[in-house]
Amino acid sequence: FSDYAYSIFQQQVEMDIKIVLDPENVENKAALKHQNDETRLPLITKEKSAPVCSQKAGRGRPSATLGGFPAFSHGHSPLALLQEDTPKGAVSLTGRRLILPAAKITLQTPPVASKAAPSHEFHRQPKKSAEAIYGTSSSSKGNIAPLPSSSSMVSTRKSKPVWPYPAQQLESEEQIPSQTQDPRLDWDIVVCHGTVDQKAPGFLALKQHHHLSWGSIVAFLEHAEKLLKDFSVPLATISGKKLARIASDFELDENPTTSAILSVIKNQSTVEKILNRPGQRSKGHGGAEMAAMKIQSAWRRHRAGKGAARPGQRERASGGIGPGWRSSSHVARVTNSLRESRHRHLENFCSRAKHLAANWNRIRTSRRTIIHIPSLGYSQGVQEHIPDLAVQQNVQLGRLCDILDANVDVIYICPLALSEELLQYYNKLLGLQAAVRSGNPEDMGDLQDRFKILTPEAINSFPQHHMCLATQLKYSPQTLRRMRVLVGSRDAYVVGGVPHADDLAVADLLDVPLLGSGPHVAQLYSTKSGSKRIFASACVPMPPGEADIHSREQMIDALSQLVVDNVAVQRWVWKVNDGWGGNGTAYCDVTSHLECSHWLQKEWQSHGPERWSESQARELALVKISQELPGLLAQHVQPVNEKRFPTWEKFLQTFLTQGGVIEAFPLSSTVTNLTVDLLIEPTGEIRIVASGDQLHAEGPFTSSGTTIPQRSVDPALLNSLCWKIGDACRSKGVLGYFSVDFVAFTHPQTMEQQVWATDLDLCYSDQLALTQLMLYVTDGNVDCGSSPLEAPLGSQTVKSQWIQRMLCCCLQPAPGSRRCAVASSQLRHSNLSRTSYDVLLQRCKARGVGFDPQEKQGTIFILYEDQKRHRLGMITIGEDLQGVLLTFARNLFIIHQEISAPNMQGETNFKMAIRDIEAILGVTAENKLKLEEEQPWEADALKE
């Protein structure tokens, strides 16, 4: 743009923003009244600019060939090149101190160059929206419009950069353009509804001129975005110059104050008015929950201080925030109090974590109390779509089995009120341990004094709100008081679930440490994109893919690149960052639906993998695929949860709002998913505590159960991968229990087994709870680091080795005996509600479904609640995998027969589970027979 054109644009933008945010302002009205509607902008001449190359994934490394599947690459949004992180948990390479501010970053020159689009002539410039003025989002790998030259930008003053280190000064001389910076440059950044347009010229210019301190700027921007989103501010303009100056004064782990954020906003007075409006916080992100908590807290204080409420008083409080909340000064005091409370909780969490680490070796061997809070602290949007949230939070009753250690007492926080019948059931179940050890079924113990199941009284206080268990416990003073009495002066610590800020609040109220990651760490690494950063840091194999995708253009560009670079991959998978249980997953067989598929395969084969990356045909393929993808995806993408996402557009809206990843699905007919549970102790020691191969009764993307322990991957290889991932997690500040998902398959070209790390959950898993119960009733132990059968490598095929491991296990309840198990916590049947648990258990016992403590094998049921009674868990334990699978399927068939009539089959996933097991049994029987034929000596060893 010319100087005149740019100044007109800037004036127009500033005036439009003022009018939109404060239409009643007299000066704004006057300016609007005297505007000349016939103002014409000068013609913008077309000029060519140097092409901007799109950077190929891999952070400077050459992409791998198709035959070996290239390593995973990060997203290429404007922030994506800086998406590596450090234990401090920021959002950029330099900002997170992974690369020093003075370090020089050299990127590989990509094979594809993008051309800048020519400018168009404007004859009349009407009023524009902020999006129209600053440009819509475009693909980060595609065309990026060239920044205006320094001679055409407007600023208020000239500033000379001051470099604190000589290396930074040298770096600036090498990377900053030689032309003098225009003193009028200001780099305005528009924030619409709490979101920065990362493709706007002001944003890009700011990043270019402050690339060395970009990490601090991005961290500060994130806090500003959160503040504006929390208070539902529609539009704000941030001064890039002030932002760069103030952000440099803040440490990455320091939260800027509200006043600091307001100081960089150009329309500060207007934004400040919005922040001070009564009830404005309740309109923003998570505001309804916060308002409800304030009301509940105030109501409890009122009742404690003034006795019973007057008629209608609670109704008025529940209908909205009362007059006392409408004072802006009161709102400010409450906001500051909440902020200080959160900060205090975090400080105390860190302090107690240090104390726990210093005394862990003593605590783990002494008399102690473990407080289990199986809370699902997902975001509000995710919690709203979890069916039966309370029941889902109660599927880990196996945590009670920590009392296997004679020095441990357990306090289990239950999200449901259990009946006396269920409490007695678990007392008898846990009493089995004495009979198992003695081998006499009559030796039943009474361990009621070793465990307590407590239900917070606040579970019924917020019937219309989706709150996790930790939040409900936080507002249950009676339960907290009883917990403090039960703990007494004994050592104690909390083991939570999915991390949430209220975990820290509960630990603070109880004055006990938390064995788990803080919410600030979990927010960075528990998402799908965050897990990819952990895996990349650990240097473990991952599916080819792209992370941190937030726009349509970025998605189309990323998928086009992935398809072209991995022609042999047929299916691609979309995963929403905060997806849970496969609900945020979709897939599409992209290559088979491409019109240019035949041409693409032919060109790729003719050039070969080595020359393909540099061929002109690849560039042409990129163009063709990017043109086909929008229509192809609209027709052929299949969301896993069709009830929540009936169309591609519905799924895409959630995907782009929350962000997510695209990754390849293994190109193989034999794919096995497995989960490994690990523990990072306070001292930093990493241990594998459980492992299992997943069952997929309801599809390849939803786990319905597990076979314990895993036998699909060589233990030595799996241990190596887990250690690398555990070490990377430890370096990021992860603490406590977490699980890693892998996928194992046979590569179609090399016929060798490949293992990819696919997901990371920073929480105590259902599989671990099932494993704990299995070990409790068998008095066994699992050695996840060894294999009971060690055959010489190289003499047989990979498939036969896989068979050997699949047919063996190392659950050892006694010397010389081995056990394996099939377990599921997700069994559903609507007819279960028609029969009481007592009657169901008697019928199952009559048909031979039960547990034999003398043989240490049989079936154990996990009962969650006795109101709806439509879900349960089940573990079947035996000597060999084939027999256990058969028994598990038979049990499901028997239960279905006992609770169903011919004309009332009910809604259930029993039948899908049986079909899945039948398919596994067919393969298992075939593999076992083949093993006996090829290696009779090893088959004999298995029988022993």
Side-chain angles (χ1 to χ4, degrees), residues 892-907:
L892 294 179
F893 181 73
I894 290 174
I895 296 172
H896 177 72
Q897 278 189 323
E898 292 294 333
I899 64 178
S900 303
N903 59 342
M904 296 183 64
Q905 293 295 297
E907 296 182 6

Side-chain angles (χ1 to χ4, degrees), residues 289 293 342 468 470-471 474-475 500-507 519:
E289 178 183 346
M293 294 177 185
R342 293 292 192 196
C468 67
T471 301
K474 175 184 175 181
Y475 293 102
H500 189 274
D502 285 336
D503 292 338
L504 274 61
V506 169

Side-chain angles (χ1 to χ4, degrees), residues 55 57 59 72-83 140-141 529 545-549 554 558 660:
Q55 174 60 39
R59 299 178 300 283
F72 179 88
S73 59
H74 292 296
H76 293 276
S77 62
L79 295 180
L81 286 177
L82 306 175
Q83 280 295 334
S140 60
K141 290 184 180 178
S529 297
E546 196 80 18
D548 295 301
I549 296 176
Q554 183 188 4

Side-chain angles (χ1 to χ4, degrees), residues 707-764:
T707 61
I708 303 171
Q710 76 81 27
R711 278 299 169 264
S712 57
V713 177
D714 178 57
L717 172 61
L718 194 61
N719 282 1
S720 174
L721 295 175
C722 290
W723 188 90
K724 291 179 181 179
I725 295 172
D727 188 54
C729 288
R730 179 175 57 189
S731 70
K732 308 294 185 185
V734 175
L735 179 66
Y737 295 96
F738 66 98
S739 61
V740 183
D741 288 346
F742 297 91
V743 59
F745 64 99
T746 302
H747 195 283
Q749 296 177 1
T750 64
M751 296 307 296
E752 295 181 353
Q753 187 185 61
Q754 286 198 355
V755 181
W756 288 343
T758 58
D759 204 359
L760 176 72
D761 292 310
L762 301 183
C763 60
Y764 196 106

Side-chain angles (χ1 to χ4, degrees), residues 74-103:
H74 292 296
H76 293 276
S77 62
L79 295 180
L81 286 177
L82 306 175
Q83 280 295 334
E84 286 295 342
D85 38 21
T86 66
K88 295 185 178 180
V91 293
S92 68
L93 284 171
T94 54
R96 293 172 181 168
R97 304 301 192 258
L98 186 60
I99 293 180
L100 296 176

Side-chain angles (χ1 to χ4, degrees), residues 78-79 82 92 94 203 206-207 210-218:
L79 295 180
L82 306 175
S92 68
T94 54
F203 185 93
L206 180 64
K207 184 174 73 169
H210 290 279
H211 57 283
L212 296 178
S213 59
W214 186 239
S216 299
I217 294 174
V218 170

